[in-house]
């Protein structure tokens, strides 16, 4: 009798806890937060590791970005023309050096003058825009919306003033750390090319080398996981940089044709801002429209035409050709991810939220598929689904 009761209790325990999906999910969530709590308690042990990681991250990150841009060229010359990787790498470095010298000598002085002039004249441009708006609000037909528009202008001015004050205060307060920041920039620029050279030379051997450390029966799956992560990162980085570059070029050409003041500086800003999906270009157009309004009414129409042409080329030709749907992310997911990541990590979250999400998505998907395949919890459902699938196949074959 006692044995029977024990057997029934063991069966109930297995039914409600060991083979219960809900219990397994709750247990995994509990373990996840327990690990986070433990790491939080021993954070003092991990501080040296974090300092070390923070020191090597800037040059490594710069080298990784350049690697994903240059590596396809090195691979193509090696496979197509049997050119040694070292030769192609050195030629690419030479081209990059020539391009940098041209940018420093020709492009930077022009952009620098425009940026200085824009920063110097921006308060006057903004005040003129505010005065023009207030003048327009005197129209009796806009009397009903005058109050809300005036409040919006006042709030915008206060926000800009507070942001400027906080930036100045932060700059003054961090003057002592300016030397360390300059040192970090110099060390990044000096060490990144060496890291990049060896990544381009031996990077294709990294995946097989890392795969060897996995258990033998996992090596195939682990290698495929590394391939998927590398493919996702490469697609995102190459796509974003390529699209941002050509967006900047299109705006440079468009602004030069219509004669927009500070066109080069504003086009460079639009190119950099385009690295932020969906929100970058609209944010970069705010100063453009302010300057266009202060220039003339026809300039506003010209800027609008340039923007519409650029958007048509980017959305219909450039982005589908370069990006496609390689990230497999719905636009709503991307927007919500950008909003959440920017709230938590600020500017870093905007730039790195999507690639980190893509990596985590691949890892979680692989782990879930493995768990579904190996766990007994899903055995009944998988058996039913496979039986249904076999029946459907037989029905289709009979047809």
């Amino acid at each position: 009798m006692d044995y029977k009761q024990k057997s029934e209790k063991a069966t109930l325990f297995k039914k409600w806890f060991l083979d219960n999906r809900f219990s397994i999910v709750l247990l995994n969530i509990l373990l996840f937060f327990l690990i986070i709590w433990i790491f939080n308690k021993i954070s003092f042990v991990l501080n040296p590791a974090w300092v070390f990681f923070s020191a090597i991250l800037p040059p490594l990150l710069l080298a990784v970005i350049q690697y994903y841009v240059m590596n396809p060229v090195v691979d193509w010359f090696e496979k197509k023309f049997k050119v040694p990787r070292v030769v192609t790498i050195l030629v690419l470095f030479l081209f990059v050096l020539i391009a940098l010298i041209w940018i420093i000598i020709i492009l930077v002085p022009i952009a620098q003058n425009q940026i200085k002039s824009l920063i110097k004249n921006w308060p006057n441009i903004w005040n003129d825009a505010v005065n023009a708006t207030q003048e327009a609000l005197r129209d009796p037909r806009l009397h009903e919306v005058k109050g809300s528009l005036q409040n919006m202008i006042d709030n915008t001015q206060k926000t800009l003033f507070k942001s400027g004050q906080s930036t100045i205060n932060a700059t003054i307060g961090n003057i002592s750390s300016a030397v360390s920041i300059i040192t970090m920039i110099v060390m990044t620029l000096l060490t990144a090319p060496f890291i990049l050279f060896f990544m381009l030379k031996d990077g294709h051997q990294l995946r097989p080398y890392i795969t060897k450390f996995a258990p033998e029966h996992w090596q195939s799956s682990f290698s495929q996981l590394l391939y998927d992560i590398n493919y996702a990162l490469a697609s995102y980085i190459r796509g974003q940089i390529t699209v941002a570059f050509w967006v900047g070029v299109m705006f440079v050409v468009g602004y030069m044709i219509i004669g927009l003041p500070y066109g080069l500086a504003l086009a460079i800003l639009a190119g950099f801002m385009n690295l932020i999906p969906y929100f970058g270009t609209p944010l970069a157009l705010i100063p453009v429209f302010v300057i266009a309004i202060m220039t003339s009414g026809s300039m506003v129409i010209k800027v609008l035409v340039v923007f519409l042409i650029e958007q048509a080329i980017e959305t219909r030709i450039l982005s589908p050709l370069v990006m496609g749907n390689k990230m497999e992310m719905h636009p709503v997911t991307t927007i919500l991810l950008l909003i959440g990541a920017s709230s938590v990590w600020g500017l870093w979250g905007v730039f790195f939220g999507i690639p980190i999400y893509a990596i985590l998505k691949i890892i979680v998907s692989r782990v879930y598929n493995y768990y579904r395949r190996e766990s007994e919890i899903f055995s009944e459902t998988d058996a039913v689904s496979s039986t249904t699938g076999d029946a459907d196949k037989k029905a289709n074959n009979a047809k």
Side-chain angles (χ1 to χ4, degrees), residues 345-379:
W345 295 294
L347 189 61
W348 291 108
V350 171
F351 287 108
F352 298 107
I354 293 178
I356 291 175
Y357 168 82
I359 294 173
L360 293 177
K361 178 183 175 183
I362 293 170
I363 295 175
V364 171
S365 175
R366 288 269 176 177
V367 171
Y368 173 76
N369 290 333
Y370 173 79
Y371 179 75
R372 185 181 182 92
R373 188 172 61 250
E374 298 294 330
S375 174
E376 296 180 358
I377 295 177
F378 294 93
S379 58

Side-chain angles (χ1 to χ4, degrees), residues 13 17 25 29 52-53 90 109 140 151 153 156 215 234 237 262 276 288 295 307 344 347 353:
F13 178 76
F17 291 98
V25 170
I29 293 174
F52 176 81
F53 180 74
L90 293 177
N151 291 333
I153 293 172
T156 304
I237 292 174
Y262 316 108
I276 305 174
V288 175
T295 304
F307 171 69
V344 177
L347 189 61

